[in-house]
Amino acid sequence: MPGKLIYNREGMGQQSVPLDKDCINIGRSRKSDLLLDFDPLVSGHHARIIKTGKRFFIEDLGSSNKTFLNDKVIRSRCELKHKDRIKIGNVILTYIDMKIRSEDIPVKEAIKRRSKKFSWQRHMIAIIAVLLTGGFCLYYFLSGTFHKSKIEEHIKKGEDYFNDGAYDKAINEYEYVLTLDKDNRKAYGGLGDSRRAMFDYLAAIKEYKKIVKLSPDDTYYFDICNSTGDTWFLYNDYREALRSYKIVEEAHFNNPDDKEILDVYAHTLIGLGKIDFINHKYKEAGDKYKKTLDIDNKNIKALIALGYLYLETGKYEDSMHYFSTVRGAAPKNTEATTGIASIYKKKGDFNRALEVYKDLIKDDASAPEIYTGKADLYRVMKNYGEALSVLKDGEKKDRKNPMIYVIRSKVYFDEKQFHKALTEIERALKIHDNLLEAKNVKAGILQKQNKTDEAIKIYKEVINKDPENFDANKGLGQSYLKIHKYNDSIKYLKKTKDINPLDREIYIVLGDAYYGKKSYDKAIEHYETASGMVQNDLELCCKLGDSYKNLNKKEKAIQWYKIALSKDPEYERAKKGLAGF
């Protein structure tokens, strides 16, 4: 027996699994060769061990919680060495190379006695061993095994560099592999992952497409289709993302009983759900996330996606439930914890949110999204000095993260330092040229600088990529209002209201657009809706007074001006309104 796995199972002691097949499948599925159904963090088809010649390799099968080799996430096939530690869920498996282990048996004395008795045989054996070794080495080289070993060595180096965040070095290793094997799928996949991590999304997609051209329709091929879809999504090109996800969806439709495709399809459903979420189709998104959980009820990504879905729709208890579930299974999951901080932020409990960020930085000071989240919280609290300080710390962790500069731009925007805000947003767009949030911020800055035509052009670029983009539609409506194109303004503002009917400001701006058109009844309708959402808005009271005055409804106009004055007797806008009667 060339090798085996050993692990401890509670109540059953040490278990031993012989590696006596060319492929050992590991997971919670009943079809697995190594069944780990006692651990909920293990996916149905989690990983597999493949025998190639006399060597064994471990490969993750797109599991929810990843596979670790000696405490490092594996992203492609990795060769196993004697006493390597494999972590799958909470289970630790140790690989034992039986050949090496047998050499540990204390037989030196026996060999010594035998060598004295048969010294001539010892020399003959040595000569034969040298000849055999030389012949084997020649065969080893000529057969291409040495070549393959060199490829695996550099693939492994690339993976290690990637896991350490040294993406440039990882790229060098993968590019070297391609000089040895121009069709190596792992090298192209590693290049795609590395370039995506560096926010070079189009370059990443180019690498993934090379794999799609090379690959047969196997699980790896469908995994790459998902990676391509994820990358298009990050690039904010949702149409292209949809095309990539549809390839996997069609494969599942044609092979509904294929368990491996079903596991990959679970990832696809999350991607399709995120596209629905972006388009504000919340029910459809939720259905897809829940369908993923029907396939794998411990899928971390689906649980997090549901948490953010309920956060967006104001169902904070449901949101907290899903984020807390993830933290229970994976206590150090940064995305779930930042989600909890976002709940407190939305509810206005800023101190609790700050406590969460403080604990996060203590646990994982390297994650830049923690700094951007905490800085934006300080921005909402109007504590701009603290926001900038946090962003400075975040920039030290990752200078290439565009959201560092987006949040800094928003801080400067709120402080009315528009020149500085524009400089920061240009830095973000230099890293990620299709970051729609950055483009919306840039358009807003240009609008404040009275460069309305330029702002309108950028907002339209965003809508061309994402027709349901709330900020772009709202920005276009406000821009057209500013240049008195009231019909165009109303068109985009009405669409914005359909996207998010809970946004109070939309009703006020729509009221302003109708007021500009002298459609005072419509203006009043929208102003009163806004007034019902938040009381004591003195400016809004005066807008209602003005609208009723223009309709010659004296009593109603006086009523609204007096409401404003009851809150602030010196409010000039209301005093001027009353003076007209």
PDB file of all heavy atoms in Angstrom, residues 221-249:
ATOM      1  N   TYR A 221     -14.141  23.152 -16.306  1.00  0.00           N
ATOM      2  CA  TYR A 221     -14.632  24.078 -17.327  1.00  0.00           C
ATOM      3  C   TYR A 221     -15.789  24.921 -16.780  1.00  0.00           C
ATOM      4  O   TYR A 221     -15.823  26.142 -16.939  1.00  0.00           O
ATOM      5  CB  TYR A 221     -15.078  23.279 -18.549  1.00  0.00           C
ATOM      6  CG  TYR A 221     -15.907  24.042 -19.556  1.00  0.00           C
ATOM      7  CD1 TYR A 221     -15.304  24.861 -20.504  1.00  0.00           C
ATOM      8  CD2 TYR A 221     -17.307  23.950 -19.565  1.00  0.00           C
ATOM      9  CE1 TYR A 221     -16.067  25.556 -21.433  1.00  0.00           C
ATOM     10  CE2 TYR A 221     -18.062  24.645 -20.485  1.00  0.00           C
ATOM     11  CZ  TYR A 221     -17.450  25.434 -21.417  1.00  0.00           C
ATOM     12  OH  TYR A 221     -18.189  26.135 -22.336  1.00  0.00           O
ATOM     13  N   PHE A 222     -16.734  24.268 -16.099  1.00  0.00           N
ATOM     14  CA  PHE A 222     -17.886  24.998 -15.560  1.00  0.00           C
ATOM     15  C   PHE A 222     -17.472  25.903 -14.393  1.00  0.00           C
ATOM     16  O   PHE A 222     -18.044  26.988 -14.208  1.00  0.00           O
ATOM     17  CB  PHE A 222     -18.977  24.013 -15.136  1.00  0.00           C
ATOM     18  CG  PHE A 222     -19.558  23.244 -16.291  1.00  0.00           C
ATOM     19  CD1 PHE A 222     -19.561  21.863 -16.303  1.00  0.00           C
ATOM     20  CD2 PHE A 222     -20.086  23.912 -17.385  1.00  0.00           C
ATOM     21  CE1 PHE A 222     -20.082  21.155 -17.368  1.00  0.00           C
ATOM     22  CE2 PHE A 222     -20.612  23.218 -18.460  1.00  0.00           C
ATOM     23  CZ  PHE A 222     -20.612  21.829 -18.461  1.00  0.00           C
ATOM     24  N   ASP A 223     -16.486  25.469 -13.612  1.00  0.00           N
ATOM     25  CA  ASP A 223     -15.948  26.344 -12.566  1.00  0.00           C
ATOM     26  C   ASP A 223     -15.404  27.639 -13.179  1.00  0.00           C
ATOM     27  O   ASP A 223     -15.608  28.736 -12.634  1.00  0.00           O
ATOM     28  CB  ASP A 223     -14.820  25.638 -11.809  1.00  0.00           C
ATOM     29  CG  ASP A 223     -15.336  24.752 -10.692  1.00  0.00           C
ATOM     30  OD1 ASP A 223     -16.425  25.050 -10.170  1.00  0.00           O
ATOM     31  OD2 ASP A 223     -14.667  23.762 -10.352  1.00  0.00           O
ATOM     32  N   ILE A 224     -14.707  27.506 -14.295  1.00  0.00           N
ATOM     33  CA  ILE A 224     -14.133  28.683 -14.956  1.00  0.00           C
ATOM     34  C   ILE A 224     -15.233  29.572 -15.529  1.00  0.00           C
ATOM     35  O   ILE A 224     -15.123  30.807 -15.522  1.00  0.00           O
ATOM     36  CB  ILE A 224     -13.136  28.249 -16.053  1.00  0.00           C
ATOM     37  CG1 ILE A 224     -11.913  27.599 -15.411  1.00  0.00           C
ATOM     38  CG2 ILE A 224     -12.712  29.435 -16.918  1.00  0.00           C
ATOM     39  CD1 ILE A 224     -11.158  28.487 -14.436  1.00  0.00           C
ATOM     40  N   CYS A 225     -16.320  28.970 -16.021  1.00  0.00           N
ATOM     41  CA  CYS A 225     -17.463  29.781 -16.477  1.00  0.00           C
ATOM     42  C   CYS A 225     -17.991  30.627 -15.316  1.00  0.00           C
ATOM     43  O   CYS A 225     -18.329  31.807 -15.491  1.00  0.00           O
ATOM     44  CB  CYS A 225     -18.561  28.888 -17.031  1.00  0.00           C
ATOM     45  SG  CYS A 225     -18.140  28.096 -18.598  1.00  0.00           S
ATOM     46  N   ASN A 226     -18.069  30.019 -14.128  1.00  0.00           N
ATOM     47  CA  ASN A 226     -18.493  30.778 -12.947  1.00  0.00           C
ATOM     48  C   ASN A 226     -17.498  31.887 -12.610  1.00  0.00           C
ATOM     49  O   ASN A 226     -17.890  33.016 -12.281  1.00  0.00           O
ATOM     50  CB  ASN A 226     -18.642  29.846 -11.745  1.00  0.00           C
ATOM     51  CG  ASN A 226     -19.988  29.152 -11.698  1.00  0.00           C
ATOM     52  OD1 ASN A 226     -20.964  29.641 -12.268  1.00  0.00           O
ATOM     53  ND2 ASN A 226     -20.053  28.021 -11.037  1.00  0.00           N
ATOM     54  N   SER A 227     -16.199  31.572 -12.670  1.00  0.00           N
ATOM     55  CA  SER A 227     -15.173  32.582 -12.382  1.00  0.00           C
ATOM     56  C   SER A 227     -15.269  33.745 -13.373  1.00  0.00           C
ATOM     57  O   SER A 227     -15.119  34.910 -12.997  1.00  0.00           O
ATOM     58  CB  SER A 227     -13.777  31.963 -12.462  1.00  0.00           C
ATOM     59  OG  SER A 227     -13.589  31.015 -11.436  1.00  0.00           O
ATOM     60  N   THR A 228     -15.541  33.415 -14.638  1.00  0.00           N
ATOM     61  CA  THR A 228     -15.694  34.460 -15.653  1.00  0.00           C
ATOM     62  C   THR A 228     -16.914  35.319 -15.339  1.00  0.00           C
ATOM     63  O   THR A 228     -16.862  36.554 -15.417  1.00  0.00           O
ATOM     64  CB  THR A 228     -15.842  33.828 -17.049  1.00  0.00           C
ATOM     65  OG1 THR A 228     -14.737  32.947 -17.290  1.00  0.00           O
ATOM     66  CG2 THR A 228     -15.862  34.895 -18.131  1.00  0.00           C
ATOM     67  N   GLY A 229     -18.022  34.661 -14.971  1.00  0.00           N
ATOM     68  CA  GLY A 229     -19.225  35.417 -14.609  1.00  0.00           C
ATOM     69  C   GLY A 229     -18.995  36.307 -13.405  1.00  0.00           C
ATOM     70  O   GLY A 229     -19.400  37.476 -13.387  1.00  0.00           O
ATOM     71  N   ASP A 230     -18.320  35.770 -12.376  1.00  0.00           N
ATOM     72  CA  ASP A 230     -18.016  36.566 -11.179  1.00  0.00           C
ATOM     73  C   ASP A 230     -17.182  37.795 -11.532  1.00  0.00           C
ATOM     74  O   ASP A 230     -17.382  38.880 -10.976  1.00  0.00           O
ATOM     75  CB  ASP A 230     -17.247  35.722 -10.162  1.00  0.00           C
ATOM     76  CG  ASP A 230     -18.086  34.593  -9.572  1.00  0.00           C
ATOM     77  OD1 ASP A 230     -19.317  34.607  -9.751  1.00  0.00           O
ATOM     78  OD2 ASP A 230     -17.499  33.691  -8.947  1.00  0.00           O
ATOM     79  N   THR A 231     -16.237  37.602 -12.460  1.00  0.00           N
ATOM     80  CA  THR A 231     -15.334  38.709 -12.821  1.00  0.00           C
ATOM     81  C   THR A 231     -16.077  39.772 -13.615  1.00  0.00           C
ATOM     82  O   THR A 231     -15.883  40.971 -13.395  1.00  0.00           O
ATOM     83  CB  THR A 231     -14.127  38.172 -13.614  1.00  0.00           C
ATOM     84  OG1 THR A 231     -13.541  37.080 -12.890  1.00  0.00           O
ATOM     85  CG2 THR A 231     -13.080  39.254 -13.794  1.00  0.00           C
ATOM     86  N   TRP A 232     -16.926  39.335 -14.557  1.00  0.00           N
ATOM     87  CA  TRP A 232     -17.742  40.324 -15.277  1.00  0.00           C
ATOM     88  C   TRP A 232     -18.631  41.087 -14.288  1.00  0.00           C
ATOM     89  O   TRP A 232     -18.850  42.293 -14.446  1.00  0.00           O
ATOM     90  CB  TRP A 232     -18.617  39.630 -16.322  1.00  0.00           C
ATOM     91  CG  TRP A 232     -17.952  39.317 -17.633  1.00  0.00           C
ATOM     92  CD1 TRP A 232     -17.804  38.094 -18.203  1.00  0.00           C
ATOM     93  CD2 TRP A 232     -17.355  40.248 -18.546  1.00  0.00           C
ATOM     94  NE1 TRP A 232     -17.148  38.196 -19.405  1.00  0.00           N
ATOM     95  CE2 TRP A 232     -16.870  39.514 -19.647  1.00  0.00           C
ATOM     96  CE3 TRP A 232     -17.172  41.635 -18.542  1.00  0.00           C
ATOM     97  CZ2 TRP A 232     -16.225  40.109 -20.727  1.00  0.00           C
ATOM     98  CZ3 TRP A 232     -16.528  42.231 -19.618  1.00  0.00           C
ATOM     99  CH2 TRP A 232     -16.060  41.481 -20.694  1.00  0.00           C
ATOM    100  N   PHE A 233     -19.155  40.379 -13.282  1.00  0.00           N
ATOM    101  CA  PHE A 233     -19.994  41.036 -12.282  1.00  0.00           C
ATOM    102  C   PHE A 233     -19.192  42.099 -11.534  1.00  0.00           C
ATOM    103  O   PHE A 233     -19.668  43.227 -11.329  1.00  0.00           O
ATOM    104  CB  PHE A 233     -20.540  40.000 -11.302  1.00  0.00           C
ATOM    105  CG  PHE A 233     -21.507  40.561 -10.305  1.00  0.00           C
ATOM    106  CD1 PHE A 233     -22.852  40.642 -10.584  1.00  0.00           C
ATOM    107  CD2 PHE A 233     -21.061  41.041  -9.073  1.00  0.00           C
ATOM    108  CE1 PHE A 233     -23.746  41.183  -9.668  1.00  0.00           C
ATOM    109  CE2 PHE A 233     -21.941  41.587  -8.150  1.00  0.00           C
ATOM    110  CZ  PHE A 233     -23.296  41.653  -8.449  1.00  0.00           C
ATOM    111  N   LEU A 234     -17.978  41.755 -11.115  1.00  0.00           N
ATOM    112  CA  LEU A 234     -17.132  42.731 -10.414  1.00  0.00           C
ATOM    113  C   LEU A 234     -16.780  43.908 -11.313  1.00  0.00           C
ATOM    114  O   LEU A 234     -16.582  45.024 -10.829  1.00  0.00           O
ATOM    115  CB  LEU A 234     -15.851  42.044  -9.927  1.00  0.00           C
ATOM    116  CG  LEU A 234     -16.034  41.030  -8.786  1.00  0.00           C
ATOM    117  CD1 LEU A 234     -14.750  40.242  -8.575  1.00  0.00           C
ATOM    118  CD2 LEU A 234     -16.451  41.725  -7.505  1.00  0.00           C
ATOM    119  N   TYR A 235     -16.715  43.634 -12.612  1.00  0.00           N
ATOM    120  CA  TYR A 235     -16.434  44.713 -13.577  1.00  0.00           C
ATOM    121  C   TYR A 235     -17.690  45.541 -13.870  1.00  0.00           C
ATOM    122  O   TYR A 235     -17.653  46.507 -14.602  1.00  0.00           O
ATOM    123  CB  TYR A 235     -15.875  44.111 -14.870  1.00  0.00           C
ATOM    124  CG  TYR A 235     -15.341  45.139 -15.840  1.00  0.00           C
ATOM    125  CD1 TYR A 235     -14.230  45.912 -15.523  1.00  0.00           C
ATOM    126  CD2 TYR A 235     -15.966  45.344 -17.071  1.00  0.00           C
ATOM    127  CE1 TYR A 235     -13.760  46.859 -16.412  1.00  0.00           C
ATOM    128  CE2 TYR A 235     -15.494  46.293 -17.962  1.00  0.00           C
ATOM    129  CZ  TYR A 235     -14.387  47.047 -17.628  1.00  0.00           C
ATOM    130  OH  TYR A 235     -13.905  48.002 -18.512  1.00  0.00           O
ATOM    131  N   ASN A 236     -18.809  45.122 -13.278  1.00  0.00           N
ATOM    132  CA  ASN A 236     -20.100  45.809 -13.432  1.00  0.00           C
ATOM    133  C   ASN A 236     -20.683  45.677 -14.829  1.00  0.00           C
ATOM    134  O   ASN A 236     -21.442  46.537 -15.280  1.00  0.00           O
ATOM    135  CB  ASN A 236     -19.983  47.309 -13.067  1.00  0.00           C
ATOM    136  CG  ASN A 236     -19.611  47.511 -11.620  1.00  0.00           C
ATOM    137  OD1 ASN A 236     -20.165  46.868 -10.750  1.00  0.00           O
ATOM    138  ND2 ASN A 236     -18.667  48.379 -11.356  1.00  0.00           N
ATOM    139  N   ASP A 237     -20.336  44.596 -15.529  1.00  0.00           N
ATOM    140  CA  ASP A 237     -20.960  44.306 -16.819  1.00  0.00           C
ATOM    141  C   ASP A 237     -21.859  43.095 -16.605  1.00  0.00           C
ATOM    142  O   ASP A 237     -21.458  41.945 -16.777  1.00  0.00           O
ATOM    143  CB  ASP A 237     -19.903  44.017 -17.893  1.00  0.00           C
ATOM    144  CG  ASP A 237     -20.494  44.076 -19.302  1.00  0.00           C
ATOM    145  OD1 ASP A 237     -21.671  43.693 -19.436  1.00  0.00           O
ATOM    146  OD2 ASP A 237     -19.791  44.501 -20.241  1.00  0.00           O
ATOM    147  N   TYR A 238     -23.115  43.372 -16.235  1.00  0.00           N
ATOM    148  CA  TYR A 238     -24.017  42.318 -15.795  1.00  0.00           C
ATOM    149  C   TYR A 238     -24.546  41.473 -16.955  1.00  0.00           C
ATOM    150  O   TYR A 238     -24.865  40.304 -16.771  1.00  0.00           O
ATOM    151  CB  TYR A 238     -25.159  42.929 -14.981  1.00  0.00           C
ATOM    152  CG  TYR A 238     -24.649  43.819 -13.876  1.00  0.00           C
ATOM    153  CD1 TYR A 238     -25.007  45.160 -13.787  1.00  0.00           C
ATOM    154  CD2 TYR A 238     -23.748  43.319 -12.939  1.00  0.00           C
ATOM    155  CE1 TYR A 238     -24.506  45.977 -12.785  1.00  0.00           C
ATOM    156  CE2 TYR A 238     -23.244  44.128 -11.929  1.00  0.00           C
ATOM    157  CZ  TYR A 238     -23.621  45.460 -11.867  1.00  0.00           C
ATOM    158  OH  TYR A 238     -23.114  46.267 -10.885  1.00  0.00           O
ATOM    159  N   ARG A 239     -24.597  42.057 -18.138  1.00  0.00           N
ATOM    160  CA  ARG A 239     -25.040  41.283 -19.306  1.00  0.00           C
ATOM    161  C   ARG A 239     -24.048  40.167 -19.613  1.00  0.00           C
ATOM    162  O   ARG A 239     -24.425  39.023 -19.872  1.00  0.00           O
ATOM    163  CB  ARG A 239     -25.196  42.203 -20.511  1.00  0.00           C
ATOM    164  CG  ARG A 239     -26.304  43.257 -20.375  1.00  0.00           C
ATOM    165  CD  ARG A 239     -26.467  44.040 -21.660  1.00  0.00           C
ATOM    166  NE  ARG A 239     -27.437  45.113 -21.544  1.00  0.00           N
ATOM    167  CZ  ARG A 239     -27.125  46.374 -21.256  1.00  0.00           C
ATOM    168  NH1 ARG A 239     -25.861  46.695 -21.041  1.00  0.00           N
ATOM    169  NH2 ARG A 239     -28.056  47.302 -21.166  1.00  0.00           N
ATOM    170  N   GLU A 240     -22.748  40.514 -19.603  1.00  0.00           N
ATOM    171  CA  GLU A 240     -21.720  39.507 -19.877  1.00  0.00           C
ATOM    172  C   GLU A 240     -21.662  38.467 -18.754  1.00  0.00           C
ATOM    173  O   GLU A 240     -21.452  37.281 -19.006  1.00  0.00           O
ATOM    174  CB  GLU A 240     -20.350  40.173 -20.040  1.00  0.00           C
ATOM    175  CG  GLU A 240     -20.190  40.963 -21.331  1.00  0.00           C
ATOM    176  CD  GLU A 240     -20.226  40.079 -22.561  1.00  0.00           C
ATOM    177  OE1 GLU A 240     -19.928  38.880 -22.456  1.00  0.00           O
ATOM    178  OE2 GLU A 240     -20.553  40.600 -23.642  1.00  0.00           O
ATOM    179  N   ALA A 241     -21.845  38.922 -17.521  1.00  0.00           N
ATOM    180  CA  ALA A 241     -21.864  37.982 -16.395  1.00  0.00           C
ATOM    181  C   ALA A 241     -22.980  36.961 -16.589  1.00  0.00           C
ATOM    182  O   ALA A 241     -22.787  35.750 -16.394  1.00  0.00           O
ATOM    183  CB  ALA A 241     -22.057  38.734 -15.081  1.00  0.00           C
ATOM    184  N   LEU A 242     -24.130  37.437 -17.008  1.00  0.00           N
ATOM    185  CA  LEU A 242     -25.282  36.565 -17.220  1.00  0.00           C
ATOM    186  C   LEU A 242     -24.984  35.507 -18.282  1.00  0.00           C
ATOM    187  O   LEU A 242     -25.342  34.332 -18.126  1.00  0.00           O
ATOM    188  CB  LEU A 242     -26.493  37.407 -17.632  1.00  0.00           C
ATOM    189  CG  LEU A 242     -27.843  36.704 -17.686  1.00  0.00           C
ATOM    190  CD1 LEU A 242     -28.223  36.176 -16.312  1.00  0.00           C
ATOM    191  CD2 LEU A 242     -28.921  37.659 -18.193  1.00  0.00           C
ATOM    192  N   ARG A 243     -24.300  35.896 -19.355  1.00  0.00           N
ATOM    193  CA  ARG A 243     -23.962  34.942 -20.418  1.00  0.00           C
ATOM    194  C   ARG A 243     -23.099  33.796 -19.884  1.00  0.00           C
ATOM    195  O   ARG A 243     -23.299  32.630 -20.233  1.00  0.00           O
ATOM    196  CB  ARG A 243     -23.228  35.661 -21.557  1.00  0.00           C
ATOM    197  CG  ARG A 243     -24.111  36.565 -22.396  1.00  0.00           C
ATOM    198  CD  ARG A 243     -23.389  37.029 -23.652  1.00  0.00           C
ATOM    199  NE  ARG A 243     -24.200  37.960 -24.402  1.00  0.00           N
ATOM    200  CZ  ARG A 243     -24.073  39.278 -24.366  1.00  0.00           C
ATOM    201  NH1 ARG A 243     -23.144  39.807 -23.591  1.00  0.00           N
ATOM    202  NH2 ARG A 243     -24.852  40.060 -25.078  1.00  0.00           N
ATOM    203  N   SER A 244     -22.135  34.133 -19.038  1.00  0.00           N
ATOM    204  CA  SER A 244     -21.243  33.101 -18.491  1.00  0.00           C
ATOM    205  C   SER A 244     -21.995  32.158 -17.550  1.00  0.00           C
ATOM    206  O   SER A 244     -21.826  30.938 -17.608  1.00  0.00           O
ATOM    207  CB  SER A 244     -20.072  33.756 -17.751  1.00  0.00           C
ATOM    208  OG  SER A 244     -19.271  34.499 -18.638  1.00  0.00           O
ATOM    209  N   TYR A 245     -22.831  32.727 -16.690  1.00  0.00           N
ATOM    210  CA  TYR A 245     -23.595  31.895 -15.759  1.00  0.00           C
ATOM    211  C   TYR A 245     -24.577  30.986 -16.497  1.00  0.00           C
ATOM    212  O   TYR A 245     -24.833  29.850 -16.073  1.00  0.00           O
ATOM    213  CB  TYR A 245     -24.364  32.764 -14.762  1.00  0.00           C
ATOM    214  CG  TYR A 245     -23.518  33.536 -13.790  1.00  0.00           C
ATOM    215  CD1 TYR A 245     -23.788  34.874 -13.496  1.00  0.00           C
ATOM    216  CD2 TYR A 245     -22.443  32.933 -13.143  1.00  0.00           C
ATOM    217  CE1 TYR A 245     -23.019  35.586 -12.586  1.00  0.00           C
ATOM    218  CE2 TYR A 245     -21.665  33.639 -12.231  1.00  0.00           C
ATOM    219  CZ  TYR A 245     -21.962  34.968 -11.964  1.00  0.00           C
ATOM    220  OH  TYR A 245     -21.198  35.676 -11.065  1.00  0.00           O
ATOM    221  N   LYS A 246     -25.125  31.464 -17.604  1.00  0.00           N
ATOM    222  CA  LYS A 246     -26.111  30.691 -18.352  1.00  0.00           C
ATOM    223  C   LYS A 246     -25.524  29.407 -18.927  1.00  0.00           C
ATOM    224  O   LYS A 246     -26.246  28.430 -19.141  1.00  0.00           O
ATOM    225  CB  LYS A 246     -26.709  31.552 -19.481  1.00  0.00           C
ATOM    226  CG  LYS A 246     -27.678  32.628 -19.013  1.00  0.00           C
ATOM    227  CD  LYS A 246     -28.967  32.023 -18.474  1.00  0.00           C
ATOM    228  CE  LYS A 246     -29.978  33.095 -18.097  1.00  0.00           C
ATOM    229  NZ  LYS A 246     -31.207  32.503 -17.520  1.00  0.00           N
ATOM    230  N   ILE A 247     -24.211  29.393 -19.194  1.00  0.00           N
ATOM    231  CA  ILE A 247     -23.561  28.175 -19.700  1.00  0.00           C
ATOM    232  C   ILE A 247     -23.701  27.053 -18.672  1.00  0.00           C
ATOM    233  O   ILE A 247     -24.036  25.915 -19.007  1.00  0.00           O
ATOM    234  CB  ILE A 247     -22.073  28.444 -20.013  1.00  0.00           C
ATOM    235  CG1 ILE A 247     -21.945  29.433 -21.180  1.00  0.00           C
ATOM    236  CG2 ILE A 247     -21.344  27.139 -20.347  1.00  0.00           C
ATOM    237  CD1 ILE A 247     -20.527  29.920 -21.417  1.00  0.00           C
ATOM    238  N   VAL A 248     -23.446  27.381 -17.406  1.00  0.00           N
ATOM    239  CA  VAL A 248     -23.564  26.378 -16.343  1.00  0.00           C
ATOM    240  C   VAL A 248     -25.030  26.015 -16.126  1.00  0.00           C
ATOM    241  O   VAL A 248     -25.369  24.831 -15.929  1.00  0.00           O
ATOM    242  CB  VAL A 248     -22.938  26.888 -15.028  1.00  0.00           C
ATOM    243  CG1 VAL A 248     -22.939  25.793 -13.980  1.00  0.00           C
ATOM    244  CG2 VAL A 248     -21.522  27.397 -15.268  1.00  0.00           C
ATOM    245  N   GLU A 249     -25.886  27.010 -16.165  1.00  0.00           N
ATOM    246  CA  GLU A 249     -27.317  26.749 -15.964  1.00  0.00           C
ATOM    247  C   GLU A 249     -27.845  25.785 -17.022  1.00  0.00           C
ATOM    248  O   GLU A 249     -28.601  24.848 -16.718  1.00  0.00           O
ATOM    249  CB  GLU A 249     -28.092  28.067 -16.009  1.00  0.00           C
ATOM    250  CG  GLU A 249     -29.568  27.913 -15.664  1.00  0.00           C
ATOM    251  CD  GLU A 249     -30.288  29.240 -15.599  1.00  0.00           C
ATOM    252  OE1 GLU A 249     -30.144  30.034 -16.560  1.00  0.00           O
ATOM    253  OE2 GLU A 249     -30.980  29.496 -14.603  1.00  0.00           O
TER     254      GLU A 249
END
